[in-house]
Amino acid sequence: MTHATPEQIGQLTLVFERFTRRFKVAEAAAAAANSLNALDVQALLFINDNPDCGLGDVARNLHVALTTMSSTADRLVRREMITRRRPEENRRSVALALTSKGVKAVEGYMAGYYDACQAMLDPLDQTDRAEFVRLTQKIADYEY
Amino acid sequence: MTHATPEQIGQLTLVFERFTRRFKVAEAAAAAANSLNALDVQALLFINDNPDCGLGDVARNLHVALTTMSSTADRLVRREMITRRRPEENRRSVALALTSKGVKAVEGYMAGYYDACQAMLDPLDQTDRAEFVRLTQKIADYEY
DNA sequence: GCGGTATACTACGATATTCGGATTATTCAA
DNA sequence: TTGAATAATCCGAATATCGTAGTATACCGC
């Protein structure tokens, strides 16, 4: 199949640059509410998606040094948002998991996303909403 | 007009959480290429959208302390990506603008966004692409 | 026009974060 | 069993963020 026209892509780029900015605000608000920094939030989200992952997994995925992630984990453990477990099957590694407090933080974070998405759908009529959701699903499905 | 259904919003939330993660990677890559941190990049983008804005404008928009933005501006000036001008009409303030080097950095950053957007449009057929772009435009138009 | 207040930013010091290099502990493989 | 590879931690240096205090300029009521 042929690519989209440069004009289409350009238009989308401008719009999405705005969209992501809006999402960043939601992110910053949720982070501030828990007095977490941006990296901590990203780590929480990753651990939520990948329970019992190791520090290296998170560090590679978020493109930060392993030592940085170790510090981040220290912080999150201190704030009782995650647990560090030494699994019997590989005692070098750690298995990170969210505590109930961590789950709550992630929920608050997703709630901000939810609000931002609601605001996006508001200006559309019923037909366009269904269409927009359908298209985003189609894109998302394709990528995984 | 009535709101979208919770199910619609929920679906969109999940998808956009993925989308923004993809955009964050593009952002991080561009930032690393110029050895800038996340805040510096955000500031550059804001100044690009709002030429001759003041430090306070940027700080409020990005939700950081004014002093932090002052430091960021120091960095960006030192790297010759922006200029700090004292406008005659209000000599307390500063007017920030991108240098050609700053423009280039923003372009590199937007190029990452462009690629991400192209990847989003790829899985759609011609009709759906036009429709998707139309809907995102509609949402964006509504908000400003 | 004048004094007081508000605005816009900068200087500086305290605290926190990120990272690289060295180190420890565990697993794997020859 | 020894050596190499893996996973994480400890420590120190460089940097970033922020709050408080300070400086300069603009505005406003009189």
Side-chain angles (χ1 to χ4, degrees):
Chain A
M1 186 192 291
T2 162
H3 279 306
T5 68
E7 196 192 352
Q8 285 179 321
I9 303 173
Q11 288 176 323
L12 199 61
T13 302
L14 288 176
V15 172
F16 261 77
E17 201 265 327
R18 297 242 159 117
F19 285 174
T20 49
R21 199 173 292 182
R22 156 176 292 225
F23 276 69
K24 255 177 218 130
V25 170
E27 181 179 315
N34 293 301
S35 62
L36 296 174
N37 67 25
L39 181 60
D40 295 349
V41 174
Q42 293 306 305
L44 277 180
L45 282 174
F46 184 86
I47 296 166
N48 183 55
D49 280 349
N50 303 275
D52 287 335
C53 61
L55 281 177
D57 300 325
V58 191
R60 269 186 301 277
N61 199 271
L62 302 182
H63 298 101
V64 295
L66 185 59
T67 53
T68 303
M69 196 44 57
S70 190
S71 305
T72 294
D74 286 346
R75 272 198 298 280
L76 291 175
V77 167
R78 195 168 351 108
R79 297 190 191 174
E80 300 179 337
M81 290 184 161
I82 65 169
T83 55
R84 240 200 202 105
R85 190 170 59 80
R86 287 279 175 187
E88 258 324 296
E89 59 271 23
N90 183 350
R91 295 178 37 214
R92 291 172 297 190
S93 67
V94 298
L96 303 173
L98 297 186
T99 63
S100 61
K101 208 169 155 188
V103 170
K104 233 177 241 163
V106 168
E107 281 169 359
Y109 180 79
M110 293 302 279
Y113 266 26
Y114 186 91
D115 291 345
C117 283
Q118 185 170 58
M120 288 176 62
L121 288 175
D122 270 347
L124 301 181
D125 63 33
Q126 300 281 6
T127 314
D128 281 349
R129 275 177 200 159
E131 186 69 356
F132 187 65
V133 172
R134 181 183 73 82
L135 293 172
T136 55
Q137 294 281 327
K138 196 168 175 182
I139 295 168
D141 287 349
Y142 182 80
E143 314 202 315
Y144 299 94
Chain B
M1 186 194 289
T2 162
H3 279 307
T5 68
E7 196 191 352
Q8 284 179 322
I9 305 173
Q11 288 177 323
L12 200 60
T13 303
L14 287 176
V15 172
F16 262 77
E17 202 264 331
R18 296 243 160 116
F19 284 174
T20 48
R21 198 172 293 182
R22 158 177 290 225
F23 277 69
K24 254 177 218 132
V25 171
E27 181 180 316
N34 292 301
S35 61
L36 296 174
N37 68 25
L39 181 59
D40 295 348
V41 174
Q42 293 306 304
L44 277 180
L45 282 175
F46 184 86
I47 296 166
N48 183 55
D49 280 348
N50 304 275
D52 287 335
C53 62
L55 282 177
D57 300 326
V58 192
R60 269 186 301 278
N61 198 272
L62 301 182
H63 297 100
V64 295
L66 186 59
T67 53
T68 303
M69 197 43 58
S70 191
S71 304
T72 294
D74 287 345
R75 269 198 301 280
L76 291 175
V77 167
R78 195 165 353 107
R79 296 190 191 174
E80 300 178 339
M81 289 185 162
I82 65 170
T83 55
R84 238 199 203 105
R85 190 170 60 80
R86 286 277 175 189
E88 259 324 297
E89 59 272 23
N90 183 350
R91 295 179 38 215
R92 293 171 294 188
S93 66
V94 299
L96 303 173
L98 297 186
T99 64
S100 62
K101 207 169 154 189
V103 170
K104 233 176 240 164
V106 168
E107 281 168 359
Y109 179 79
M110 293 301 279
Y113 267 26
Y114 186 92
D115 291 345
C117 283
Q118 186 170 55
M120 287 175 64
L121 287 175
D122 270 347
L124 302 181
D125 62 34
Q126 299 281 7
T127 314
D128 281 349
R129 274 178 200 157
E131 186 70 356
F132 186 65
V133 172
R134 181 183 74 80
L135 293 172
T136 54
Q137 294 280 327
K138 196 168 176 182
I139 294 169
D141 287 349
Y142 182 79
E143 316 204 311
Y144 300 94

